DNA sequence: GGGCTGCCGTAGCTATGTAA
DNA sequence: TTACATAGCTACGGCAGCCC
């Protein structure tokens, strides 16, 4: 039987019965009995300690037991308030005078004005009246959706207390089971005011998020966006965003869906969709094909135009699994390959081969030499060529340098070099470089430096130790 | 004014080729 | 074999122009 995740459950082999000597059994039973007694003793001491603390601080022992175990027993201990005649009478009184407005002082005044009515209600011979009132009050209580009055304040308190309890639970789980968690709580209505709640079980986890996400991660900003989305009933149609923004969101979601499906289909977490050479990089490489693509154009989502309809349809199909990756049979793969080759021969498909590096076969300058050029400016002097290239930092040292560069806010030096290279159009880069190479060949000077990368890819292993905890 | 399209530039990531 | 440098690909945002 396959599970939802597609992984068959693992059934352990049946264990063989082992005969245990009577003396061993007795010894085990004795140890178990002693452990049990020790636990009971420990428990009794803990309970006694809770009682002592309760007396000392004027609180119930359960309060300290709750703190000690890190568990909230308040909910289970909480008693449901019994129906009282006085509550019922007050409710009825308030109901009769709602036209006069609410407020605690108002109800307090009403009680004083009508106190004699309550005293009369308690008299003998009014049993039926009391029962009717209690019955009506009970029906009212039962009909309440939440059992309590729902006010902006009560909703805020529910969220506040709930988050507090969840945080405590997560802390307990972290201590006992070794988990880390991220909690984001946002409201999905405008009935009350609540700033999004963001909670990380570990400061290291929070510090790691910008690196993991690979972009500027601001937890507050992310939570604020989640809240806006939740208030819009979790539908981008209701966000009131511009057409351009909606297109971006749709494309991002399509891209995310395809990537996830590709990973699921290939079992390769590093699999990346290739829209340019799909046949070679996806179909033949993984033996899968994408079926159910509803958009009229097969292309990278970013090139799918900006008509909302087709994008929404495609996203819906992806979510409903109408559009998905399917495994190809060997025969299918062969047919697809033949069709692919035929399409190429007919000129229907243009194969985009990766260009060979323009500097293939040439000796390349090292990065450190470039850095020297930045400092002294005499980068192209022939004298430099005579000096041996400096040893390069490798391994941890080099990685540390990379991380340090990345962590530099703004990275002024790198930024300056990047901005200096601005204006070099991508499409003209190769020709510019080749022209420069030719010029360099004729003048004996080195070609101009290409734009440097400002940051390097960082794996979790590259994260500095202080970020880990 | 908003929807739609296309072009361009930038940044991040991966693949590729070379040096150590 | 590993580390590093760089080309190429992809995503994404800005901008301009056209059309309704």
């Amino acid at each position: 039987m396959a599970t939802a995740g597609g992984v068959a459950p693992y059934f352990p082999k049946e264990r063989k019965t082992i005969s245990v000597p009577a003396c061993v059994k007795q010894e085990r039973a004795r140890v178990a009995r002693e452990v049990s007694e020790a636990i009971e003793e420990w428990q009794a001491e803990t309970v006694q300690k809770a009682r002592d603390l309760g007396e000392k601080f004027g609180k119930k022992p359960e309060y300290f037991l709750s703190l000690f175990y890190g568990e909230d027993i308040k909910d289970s201990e909480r008693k449901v308030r019994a129906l009282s005649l006085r509550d019922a009478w007050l409710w009825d009184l308030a109901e009769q005078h709602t036209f006069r407005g609410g407020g605690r002082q108002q109800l307090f005044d009403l009680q004083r004005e009508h106190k004699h009515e309550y005293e009369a209600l308690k008299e003998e011979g009014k049993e039926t009246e009391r029962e009717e009132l209690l019955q009506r009050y009970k029906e009212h209580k039962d009909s309440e959706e939440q059992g309590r009055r729902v006010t902006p304040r009560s909703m805020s308190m529910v969220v506040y207390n709930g988050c507090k309890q969840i945080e405590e639970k997560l802390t307990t789980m972290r201590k006992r089971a070794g988990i880390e968690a991220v909690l984001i709580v946002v409201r999905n209505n405008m009935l009350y005011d609540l700033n999004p709640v963001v909670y990380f079980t570990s400061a290291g986890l929070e510090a790691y998020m910008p690196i993991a996400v690979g972009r500027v991660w601001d937890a507050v900003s992310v939570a604020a966006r989640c809240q806006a989305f939740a208030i819009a009933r979790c539908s981008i149609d209701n966000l009131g965003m511009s057409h351009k923004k909606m297109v971006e969101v749709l494309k991002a979601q399509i891209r995310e869906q395809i990537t996830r499906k590709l990973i699921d289909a290939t079992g390769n977490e590093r699999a990346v969709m290739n829209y340019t050479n799909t046949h070679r990089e996806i179909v033949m490489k993984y033996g899968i094909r994408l079926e159910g693509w509803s958009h009229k154009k097969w292309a990278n989502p970013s090139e799918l135009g900006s008509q909302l309809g087709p994008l929404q349809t495609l996203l819906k199909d992806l979510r409903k699994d109408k559009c998905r990756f399917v495994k190809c049979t060997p025969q299918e793969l062969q047919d697809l390959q033949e069709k692919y080759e035929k399409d190429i021969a007919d000129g229907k498909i243009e194969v985009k081969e990766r260009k060979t590096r323009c500097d293939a076969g040439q000796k390349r300058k090292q990065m450190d030499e470039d850095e020297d050029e930045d400092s002294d400016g005499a980068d192209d002097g022939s004298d430099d060529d005579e000096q041996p290239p400096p040893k390069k930092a490798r391994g941890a040292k080099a990685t540390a340098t990379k991380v340090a560069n990345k962590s530099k806010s703004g990275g002024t030096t790198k930024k300056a070099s990047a901005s200096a290279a601005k204006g070099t159009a991508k499409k003209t880069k190769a020709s510019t470089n080749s022209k420069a190479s030719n010029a360099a060949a004729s003048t004996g000077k080195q070609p101009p430096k290409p734009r440097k990368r400002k940051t390097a890819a960082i794996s979790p292993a590259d994260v500095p130790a202080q970020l880990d905890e």
Side-chain angles (χ1 to χ4, degrees):
Chain A
M1 187 184 75
T3 61
V7 180
Y10 169 71
F11 297 106
K13 289 177 182 174
E14 197 173 329
R15 297 181 66 163
K16 292 175 183 174
T17 52
I18 301 169
S19 60
V20 180
C23 59
V24 174
K25 279 185 180 176
Q26 284 174 1
E27 176 62 14
R28 283 179 184 173
R30 186 188 63 78
V31 170
R33 199 166 49 245
E34 286 182 5
V35 166
S36 180
E37 285 169 6
I39 294 290
E40 279 179 19
E41 191 182 329
W42 183 12
Q43 202 167 21
E45 284 172 7
T46 307
V47 170
Q48 185 55 48
K49 183 69 180 174
R51 284 191 190 125
D52 294 345
L53 289 170
E55 283 179 15
K56 184 178 177 182
F57 295 102
K59 292 179 184 289
K60 290 181 179 178
E62 287 78 9
Y63 173 78
F64 295 95
L65 288 172
S66 167
L67 289 180
F68 182 74
Y69 289 115
E71 289 174 357
D72 181 17
I73 58 173
K74 297 184 204 76
D75 274 349
S76 56
E77 295 264 316
R78 188 173 287 136
K79 300 268 193 318
V80 177
R81 185 171 168 162
L83 288 180
S84 78
L85 181 64
R86 183 173 175 77
D87 284 350
W89 173 73
L90 272 174
W91 163 73
D92 188 51
L93 192 64
E95 286 286 297
Q96 288 175 30
H97 296 84
T98 46
F99 59 92
R100 289 172 61 180
R104 298 181 69 172
Q105 188 59 45
Q106 189 76 43
L107 188 58
F108 184 71
D109 292 341
L110 278 173
Q111 286 183 63
R112 288 172 61 178
E113 287 173 21
H114 297 267
K115 192 180 176 184
H116 61 283
E117 293 176 13
Y118 178 64
E119 296 301 328
L121 186 65
K122 289 198 290 183
E123 290 171 2
E124 285 188 17
K126 295 281 182 76
E127 286 82 4
T128 316
E129 207 172 320
R130 287 200 293 267
E131 279 177 20
E132 279 178 8
L133 179 59
L134 281 167
Q135 183 60 33
R136 278 195 290 125
Y137 183 53
K138 184 175 185 303
E139 285 170 5
H140 160 71
K141 294 286 284 183
D142 290 346
S143 68
E144 280 185 326
E145 194 181 349
Q146 301 296 329
R148 296 182 187 183
R149 282 173 63 190
V150 179
T151 64
R153 182 173 165 76
S154 75
M155 286 189 276
S156 294
M157 290 308 294
V158 163
V159 176
Y160 174 78
N161 291 327
C163 288
K164 205 173 160 192
Q165 288 170 20
I166 293 170
E167 284 181 27
E168 285 171 4
K169 296 271 185 200
L170 289 174
T171 306
T172 306
M173 287 163 69
R174 185 175 188 239
K175 286 177 182 169
R176 292 183 178 177
I179 58 109
E180 299 292 352
V182 181
L183 173 70
I184 296 180
V185 179
V186 297
R187 62 189 157 94
N188 67 356
N189 59 67
M190 301 285 280
L191 298 174
Y192 65 107
D193 193 31
L194 170 78
N195 288 331
V197 177
V198 186
Y199 173 72
F200 290 84
T201 50
S202 151
L205 186 62
E206 184 175 9
Y208 175 61
M209 286 311 290
I211 299 163
V213 174
R215 289 171 184 280
V216 178
W217 167 274
D218 174 11
V220 176
S221 168
V222 170
R225 290 185 203 181
C226 288
Q227 181 153 294
F229 191 61
I231 289 172
R233 299 193 298 280
C234 292
S235 168
I236 61 168
D237 295 338
N238 302 327
L239 268 177
M241 57 171 64
S242 67
H243 169 267
K244 187 178 173 68
K245 194 74 191 169
M246 286 175 79
V247 169
E248 287 166 17
V249 171
L250 281 169
K251 287 180 177 178
Q253 291 181 343
I254 288 169
R255 201 174 295 119
E256 191 266 336
Q257 284 281 330
I258 288 177
T259 305
R260 189 185 299 169
K261 283 175 186 290
L262 179 65
I263 290 169
D264 285 347
T266 60
N268 179 3
E269 288 193 3
R270 299 177 72 87
V272 178
M273 187 62 191
N274 188 318
Y275 300 93
T276 311
N277 298 310
T278 314
H279 179 81
R280 188 182 66 203
E281 297 297 326
I282 302 295
V283 178
M284 299 312 290
K285 189 172 176 180
Y286 298 113
I288 55 174
R289 62 185 169 82
L290 187 64
E291 72 169 21
W293 182 266
S294 58
H295 203 281
K296 62 184 177 184
K297 179 183 174 186
W298 165 250
N300 189 311
S302 63
E303 296 168 16
L304 284 183
S306 45
Q307 288 183 38
L308 293 176
L311 293 174
Q312 285 166 334
T313 306
L314 179 56
L315 180 59
K316 200 159 71 178
D317 290 349
L318 282 162
R319 284 181 173 158
K320 289 188 173 179
D321 232 21
K322 283 184 186 172
C323 182
R324 59 192 177 140
F325 285 100
V326 292
K327 195 86 182 164
C328 295
T329 62
Q331 184 59 46
E332 272 179 323
L333 277 179
Q334 193 180 335
D335 293 346
L336 285 169
Q337 179 66 16
E338 285 171 6
K339 183 177 180 300
Y340 177 68
E341 286 169 0
K342 185 172 182 297
D343 285 346
I344 293 171
D346 295 346
K348 289 180 184 174
I349 296 176
E350 190 184 344
V351 183
K352 292 184 178 176
E353 288 295 337
R354 191 185 175 92
K355 293 176 185 173
T356 315
R357 287 173 65 121
C358 60
D359 62 349
Q362 296 176 9
K363 283 201 171 186
R364 270 189 261 127
K365 287 178 70 180
Q366 298 301 297
M367 202 65 170
D368 285 3
E369 291 175 60
D370 290 349
E371 299 295 340
D372 292 345
E373 290 167 9
D374 288 339
S375 58
D376 59 19
D379 50 315
D380 37 6
S382 55
D383 293 348
D384 291 348
D385 295 334
E386 293 172 10
Q387 292 175 355
K391 293 278 184 187
K392 291 195 69 62
R394 280 199 164 192
K397 194 178 174 185
T399 306
T401 313
K402 270 199 294 188
V403 174
N405 285 341
K406 187 183 177 72
S407 65
K408 274 182 191 171
S409 61
T412 49
T413 315
K414 299 275 181 184
K415 206 134 194 168
S417 67
S419 59
K422 264 186 182 177
T424 309
K426 183 181 171 184
K427 287 184 177 177
T428 59
K429 193 158 56 182
S431 60
T432 310
N433 287 347
S434 61
K435 280 177 189 172
S437 302
N438 293 340
S442 60
T443 59
K445 287 188 175 184
Q446 293 293 325
K449 286 185 293 178
R451 181 169 61 86
K452 283 181 193 171
R453 294 175 64 84
K454 288 206 290 186
T455 56
I458 295 183
S459 68
D462 293 328
V463 182
Q466 67 267 25
L467 293 184
D468 253 339
E469 182 52 60

